[in-house]
Amino acid sequence: MKDKKKVAQDAYIAGYNRGRAVRDAGGKGSSVREVVWGGCTRRALSAGQEAEADRGAWVSGCLDGVSENAKHLPSSQVTKRTNDQDLLERFKAWLSDTDKRPMTAHVNRLTLVELHRSDYDIELTTDYPSTGDDHSAATDLAQSFVTWWDGDDGDGTAWNVVVRGTDGEASHKQTLMAIDKA
């Protein structure tokens, strides 16, 4: 088993290489989209196990790569996870006032996942299985969260919501931000 430093460094390098590839393919405009509009945070969700091991390190690497910055390998895990019971209770209270009330019984944790400086994702842990018939329930839950989320991220920017099943695997991932790419 790799230590956390090696995991973070591997994730960073994978993100850096992906960021460089995006920059090489799209030029300076791609840097703006990735840095300002959260492209690297969204890419991390589909980057596979290396990113999932330390999504924050992957995002940091991607941002450095797309910006043509020198590599700054992390010395420890970058991603920070914080459970937020208050935010969970507020979301459940909102759900209770909608036709989605039954969903409240299935969400048992809301985690703020700090990725890079002020960028973060939100993870909802549920009792849904990660695969199978309840996949549509996870999608419905994510869409309900997006509807509830008003875009007021406080001091940072929340980019995505990830619904996790009983095994900890992501069963649905969805952006929180409506982005006009015109």
Side-chain angles (χ1 to χ4, degrees):
M1 182 180 207
K2 292 183 184 179
D3 69 5
K4 288 182 181 185
K5 178 180 177 179
K6 177 71 171 140
V7 168
Q9 290 178 344
D10 288 349
Y12 177 91
I13 290 168
Y16 189 90
N17 291 338
R18 181 65 179 134
R20 288 303 300 249
V22 168
R23 171 67 181 227
D24 292 346
K28 191 182 284 188
S30 61
S31 294
V32 172
R33 285 188 301 278
E34 298 301 300
V35 174
V36 176
W37 298 111
C40 285
T41 60
R42 284 191 304 283
R43 287 179 193 283
L45 291 178
S46 60
Q49 282 306 109
E50 263 186 333
E52 192 59 29
D54 190 340
R55 239 176 16 233
W58 195 97
V59 168
S60 294
C62 179
L63 291 169
D64 282 347
V66 79
S67 301
E68 295 185 309
N69 293 334
K71 289 181 183 172
H72 298 98
L73 293 175
S75 58
S76 63
Q77 185 169 353
V78 175
T79 306
K80 295 180 180 108
R81 287 181 158 76
T82 307
N83 294 333
D84 192 324
Q85 188 65 32
D86 178 60
L87 195 57
L88 175 63
E89 293 307 320
R90 287 190 282 152
F91 174 55
K92 284 182 162 187
W94 176 83
L95 274 176
S96 294
D97 289 338
T98 71
D99 62 341
K100 308 291 185 184
R101 180 185 196 99
M103 284 184 193
T104 61
H106 300 283
V107 185
N108 50 46
R109 185 171 57 229
L110 185 149
T111 306
L112 301 177
V113 183
E114 184 182 337
L115 303 172
H116 179 79
R117 295 188 187 124
S118 62
D119 292 334
Y120 60 98
D121 287 342
I122 295 171
E123 294 180 348
L124 300 173
T125 304
T126 69
D127 62 3
Y128 299 138
S130 295
T131 58
D133 296 337
D134 281 332
H135 184 72
S136 62
T139 301
D140 197 23
L141 177 65
Q143 289 170 342
S144 294
F145 189 85
V146 169
T147 299
W148 174 72
W149 192 256
D150 64 5
D152 179 10
D153 307 313
D155 293 335
T157 302
W159 292 104
N160 307 290
V161 61
V162 177
V163 178
R164 296 203 176 273
T166 53
D167 61 0
E169 293 296 316
S171 55
H172 186 78
K173 303 169 186 173
Q174 185 167 336
T175 185
L176 283 167
M177 306 289 285
I179 298 186
D180 180 3
K181 294 183 181 179

